[in-house]
Amino acid sequence: MANRLDITLPASLAAERQGAIAILRLARPGKRNAFNDETILGIETFFTSLPDGIGAVLLHGEGEHFSAGLDLSELKERDVTQGIAHSGLWHRAFGKIQFGKVPVVAVLHGAVVGGGLELAASAHVRVAERSAYYALPEGSRGIYVGGGGSVRLPRLIGVARMTDMMLTGRTYSAEEGQAMGLTTYLVEQGRGFAKGLELATHIAGNAPLTNFAVMQALPRIAEMDPAGGYEMEALMSAIAQADGEAKKRLKEFLEKRAPKVTRS
Ligand code: 1HE
């Protein structure tokens, strides 16, 4: 049963709750879900205001496109200092997604471009519908990514592909994005929300400490030197397995009350 989430957001965003899942919808389809400052601040508010009991977030976009990225009509006459602050605003908001309270599943369709792709890259699981396509039009607009794209996208698709996208305006299709690891699920048109909700529901059912470890420890360990990484992994693993939730789940398996691992 869907119900409202009591978080005050700008009209460009809509939030609701379905059980343990908080759903955030980019709701400015008339402008192809382009992000003005108000929207970026609203995204930050949403991810910092999630109530207890929410186990995962589902992020999706209204209309034909996920997002056209930065609202270009707001670029105006920013000077260098204001430009740095503007990018910092995006970094802060998207950081609250990647390193927030709970995992985020993003459902992508239509144009996922510029800042829209940067937003998608901040999520933990990405589902593409076949209509999705990816581009970094910053190159042709005379600007540069500013929403963390230089940090997150090379880790997903490699420096070479991002360089190509920015220099040549190349776009990638949903199928190509899936093949290169940008998304990990590819579904038919109109099936993204249901798939995203199914995944978010599974994620929300995990032990909270496991989700914490995957969100907070894994990306940091992956960037560490191997010796430090093994050490941090050992610590995280020990913390997770000492938790009551782990003990309960292991007992359920050993008493044959938990499901086996099966092919999906
Ligand atoms: C916009 C924006 C926008 C649409 N800012 N207003 N992003 C871009 O360079 C992508 C620019 N947008 C497009 O290429 C196309 O709009 C789409 C491929 C996404 C969709 O095409 P279409 O035919 O469905 O829509 P449209 O007719 O182009 O746009 C509908 C309206 O949305 C129209 O306004 P209207 O008043 O004439 O109805 C467009 O002007 C408006 N619109 N996209 C402002 N982006 C932190 S740094 C991040 C840097 C970036 O993200 S750069 C990438 C910018």
Side-chain angles (χ1 to χ4, degrees):
M1 181 66 75
N3 45 40
R4 246 167 46 84
L5 255 187
D6 224 3
I7 304 176
T8 305
L9 296 173
S12 53
L13 296 171
E16 65 180 77
R17 177 178 184 157
Q18 286 198 24
I21 313 303
I23 300 169
L24 180 63
R25 187 171 78 248
L26 308 176
R28 203 186 176 209
K31 292 287 177 194
R32 307 309 183 249
N33 297 326
F35 303 134
N36 50 18
D37 286 1
E38 197 186 29
T39 305
I40 298 297
L41 285 166
I43 289 173
E44 182 179 13
T45 300
F46 175 85
F47 282 97
T48 49
S49 311
L50 290 172
D52 289 346
I54 293 295
V57 169
L58 180 61
L59 171 65
H60 71 128
E62 195 175 320
E64 299 295 304
H65 303 281
F66 177 73
S67 172
L70 173 70
D71 185 330
L72 294 168
S73 69
E74 279 211 344
L75 261 187
K76 292 181 268 179
E77 293 294 311
R78 274 192 205 111
D79 65 20
V80 172
T81 310
Q82 290 164 332
I84 292 170
H86 180 255
S87 179
L89 170 72
W90 286 55
H91 291 163
R92 215 174 58 224
F94 291 4
K96 298 285 185 334
I97 299 176
Q98 185 180 2
F99 295 112
K101 285 183 179 173
V102 295
V104 180
V105 178
V107 176
L108 311 177
H109 73 293
V112 184
V113 306
L117 183 53
E118 294 182 282
L119 172 65
S122 316
H124 302 94
V125 176
R126 280 164 291 279
V127 177
E129 294 192 348
R130 286 204 186 269
S131 65
Y133 63 98
Y134 313 101
L136 293 171
E138 286 86 342
S140 63
R141 308 277 181 234
I143 54 176
Y144 185 68
V145 290
S150 319
V151 175
R152 295 193 183 95
L153 287 169
R155 286 169 167 80
L156 282 173
I157 62 172
V159 174
R161 286 198 188 93
M162 179 167 174
T163 303
D164 184 15
M165 289 172 86
M166 292 208 69
L167 291 181
T168 70
R170 175 177 186 157
T171 66
Y172 281 109
S173 67
E175 289 77 13
E176 288 171 323
Q178 176 74 9
M180 68 173 76
L182 186 52
T183 57
T184 49
Y185 297 87
L186 176 61
V187 298
E188 295 309 320
Q189 194 53 24
R191 297 285 308 142
F193 186 87
K195 184 67 189 176
L197 194 58
E198 175 198 321
L199 296 169
T201 303
H202 183 99
I203 290 167
N206 291 340
L209 255 178
T210 300
N211 284 348
F212 171 85
V214 173
M215 288 177 68
Q216 310 291 340
L218 174 59
R220 293 181 167 107
I221 293 172
E223 299 294 331
M224 289 172 82
D225 69 287
Y230 291 129
E231 208 54 46
M232 175 125 161
E233 181 184 88
L235 293 174
M236 190 65 250
S237 152
I239 290 169
Q241 76 187 29
D243 191 59
E245 186 65 27
K247 302 270 180 257
K248 177 172 127 331
R249 288 171 185 238
L250 296 173
K251 187 165 181 284
E252 281 167 2
F253 176 76
L254 294 173
E255 291 173 357
K256 307 208 179 302
R257 288 186 289 119
K260 292 186 186 182
V261 178
T262 52
R263 288 174 63 104
S264 23

